[in-house]
Amino acid sequence: MDRIIILIRLAVAIFLFYVLNYVLYSTFNQIPEFVSVPINAILVIGGLYYVYSGRKQFIADNEDEEGMPLQLEKSSYFFIPVGAFIAFFLVYSSFRTSLYIDNGNAVPVEVKIASTTKTVAPNDFIVIDTPIGENEIIINGKKKTINILDNGKWVYNVDNLNSYIEGTVDYADQEIRNINNTADTTTTKLSVDKIIHKEFFKLESDFIFEAPETITVSKDAQTGTVHTQTVLYRLPKGISQIK
């Protein structure tokens, strides 16, 4: 019973701070962490002060702690900061996603989006944690607006220089590889109808630019099963202008 009460109190603290943070991020989706974190810290301090002053007044009026309201019990000193931390993490992660900045230029480019500024090396890429919604992206001083619709993974192809192709990778355990008389852990298949030449698009593949040598599957997966995954590869520059 005590555990249920603890979970209920923690759930209440999470709910209250979740609502506050949801309103904050849904109203200001571009709000940087150095602003939202202090706001949450102030709310936590305010909550702790409410408990402290309320307890002090209750004891002064009643001369002991018997009959102390639930929201003023000492456990609130624990539930308030823990609930605030969990709620902030849940809301923050739901309003942000991964944006791959892929630079096909032979020179580095400076990228600024939201409150983040980074340099992308030639023919390389970086991943930036980006707010969902409309974002102004600045590439070497040139501004563009991109609209990240949801928390899937997105790709920004700088100057639209690269083209991509989606392939499938079949993963199989040792039993299947022995039957096929091969030591390879994967086999790769490419399809020309999966060519992508866009400046900005949502990543639908399981992996980007390379496939891992092995994958982790559920322990309940049937032995001997071939697991097919998709991967987005860059096309060689010589054929990168296919449209």
Side-chain angles (χ1 to χ4, degrees), residues 190-208:
L190 301 177
S191 176
V192 293
D193 62 346
K194 294 292 185 178
I195 291 176
I196 299 174
H197 187 80
K198 296 180 181 178
E199 185 176 47
F200 176 65
F201 58 94
K202 183 178 180 180
L203 177 65
E204 303 289 352
S205 307
D206 296 308
F207 307 111
I208 186 166

Side-chain angles (χ1 to χ4, degrees), residues 62-162:
N62 298 274
E63 299 182 353
D64 58 38
E65 297 185 14
E66 187 176 351
M68 183 77 69
L70 290 177
Q71 74 272 16
L72 299 181
E73 291 186 357
K74 287 184 178 180
S75 58
S76 298
Y77 291 128
F78 168 79
F79 292 127
I80 288 176
V82 172
F85 176 81
I86 295 174
F88 176 79
F89 175 79
L90 291 174
V91 175
Y92 178 86
S93 58
S94 66
F95 275 88
R96 300 182 79 86
T97 191
S98 297
L99 176 65
Y100 290 79
I101 309 292
D102 190 27
N103 179 24
N105 289 279
V107 296
V109 296
E110 184 181 78
V111 177
K112 181 177 181 180
I113 185 167
S115 59
T116 303
T117 301
K118 290 190 176 181
T119 299
V120 190
N123 297 306
D124 200 359
F125 74 96
I126 60 172
V127 184
I128 297 179
D129 193 36
T130 309
I132 293 173
E134 286 195 356
N135 288 270
E136 184 180 75
I137 184 170
I138 303 175
I139 308 288
N140 285 344
K142 298 179 180 178
K143 298 180 181 180
K144 285 196 173 183
T145 299
I146 58 175
N147 189 12
I148 299 177
L149 300 176
D150 54 44
N151 59 359
K153 296 179 179 179
W154 296 77
V155 179
Y156 186 81
N157 178 18
V158 177
D159 295 331
N160 207 15
L161 292 176
N162 285 328

Side-chain angles (χ1 to χ4, degrees), residues 214-240:
T214 61
I215 61 172
T216 301
V217 297
S218 170
K219 64 179 180 180
D220 298 325
Q222 184 177 356
T223 302
T225 301
V226 175
H227 302 275
T228 300
Q229 302 285 287
T230 55
V231 55
L232 188 73
Y233 296 105
R234 290 192 194 92
L235 281 169
K237 276 292 196 297
I239 55 173
S240 65

